Amino acid sequence: MLTRRHAIRLGLTTGAVGAVGAAGGVFQTLSTPSGTAKAATAAGAPAVTPFAVPLPVPKVLKPYLRTGTTDFYTVTMSRTSHEILPGRRTDVLTYNGSFPGPTIRARSGRTAVVKQINALEMPTSVHLHGGNNPVAHDGGMMDTIAPGRSRTYVYANKQPGATLWTHDHAHHMESEHVYRGLSGLYLLGDAAEDRLGMPSGAYEVPLILRDAQFDDTGAMVYTMDDAFNRTTIMVNGRPWPYMKVQGRKYRFRMLNSSNLRIFILRLSDGSQMTQIGSDGGLLPAPAPAPVLVLSPGERADFVIDFAQYAPGTQLVLENLIGPGPVEQVGKVMRFDVGEKVADPSRVPDVLTTLPALAKPTVERTFELQMDEPETGGHQAYINGKTFDAKRIDTEIRWGTTELWTVTNKSATIPHNFHTHLVQFRILERDGQPVYPAEAGWKDTVLLFPGQTVKLQLTFDSHRGVFPYHCHMIDHSAMGMMAHMKIT
Ligand SMILES: [Cu+2]
């Protein structure tokens, strides 16, 4: 349980304590100041008027070739400049020149072949976060693409439809590379999901959240592990955008692509959203969501029905957790509701069936810890060890189902826990069942200081060495990462 003292040290805004402390049941509805003042960015940065720029939607990458089984894509990683803050140019690292990168729309059961050309001056590695792929195509941290070279990743997509994420994973550089823009959505669809008739096309919209710090020239400032000065909130690459919506249902595919920032989101009128999916795919049933809680790397698939609002209504998507001044980090974007329109889409009561949980035969414990701020240290650890690329930390027999107990041993710093290769299930948090939105397929789980989760994982796909790590990626770059070997 998160105490108020912890909350204050974490910089939570009023009311968020109830949200993150609630175990079992859904999170409580919260109250928080709804900042309307002009949002200055960090000291010295140009002020940005919130809700002044329209929400862009990353374009969908077209395959250059489609066969009966496979879609072929080419992506070039390059440095370019982009308008993020209105009227300024910012140097960014991009996939195919866009910030964030273009969306790949893949299909479950069809192979996607993505040739990644590294036109940058440093090594990169492309990881498909949430994807079930063999070592050679996982974008390992040491398995990098040298400057000027290319690498072809093959994704078999043998998993249910899900909101996945391609991002850089080059060791000791991933944190800055992702921060500067090597990040893009990978939406995996499947036929069973299509048959549900949920909002699609123009009514299925990616929302890629993140923060950043800018200086007075509009340049992005990267300081390792600086959670406090990244107070410009962006969605799809623009600060505090607005989105004009029609009076009908929309499906949002949300990713928190921040390095360190956690979001606890709610609508400014306090009405509920409907969460339909999590990291690894659809939930069994729609879950009422008074708030959405997303730590870095987590995804939420959710629906808002704007038909319930009078035309002209403006709804702010607010954030209830810091760090940062509430007038900056307390809001994310605004929905401007238009006229009601016909809406043939549905959100059925049953979305999918999750497989029965196999009985775990191996139990392990993992403790996440890093040097506390007052010590001045900059190392991070899993089970007391900082990352060593040559060390195997966990040996797993192929076919085994395991129960992992993961604890955040930090006194003041939240962490999360991300596994490559497998989607897991969260059995409980601090001894209590998790709320419905966390009970589906997950690959990343949030742990506030002192929290413990129990995870169930089955290793019945690819063999080899894969990492697991904190996905507050400044922390993984500081060593909160380890290797598992499945044999
Ligand atoms: Cu961490």
Side-chain angles (χ1 to χ4, degrees), residues 414-416 470 472 475 480:
H415 297 297
N416 67 17
C470 180
M472 298 173 79
H475 298 175
M480 194 178 290

Side-chain angles (χ1 to χ4, degrees), residues 129 163 165 167 178 183 185 207-211 234 253-265 279 293-300 416 444 471-472:
H129 178 120
T163 309
W165 177 30
H167 69 78
V178 173
S183 168
L185 214 53
L207 297 176
I208 305 170
L209 274 52
R210 61 164 295 177
D211 61 1
M234 294 181 269
R253 310 294 293 263
M254 181 178 278
L255 157 71
N256 181 358
S257 72
S258 304
N259 283 36
L260 293 167
R261 181 171 296 280
I262 297 161
F263 289 96
I264 298 179
L265 304 162
D279 300 344
V293 182
L294 286 180
S295 68
E298 287 187 288
R299 288 87 73 202
N416 67 17
T444 308
H471 215 290
M472 298 173 79

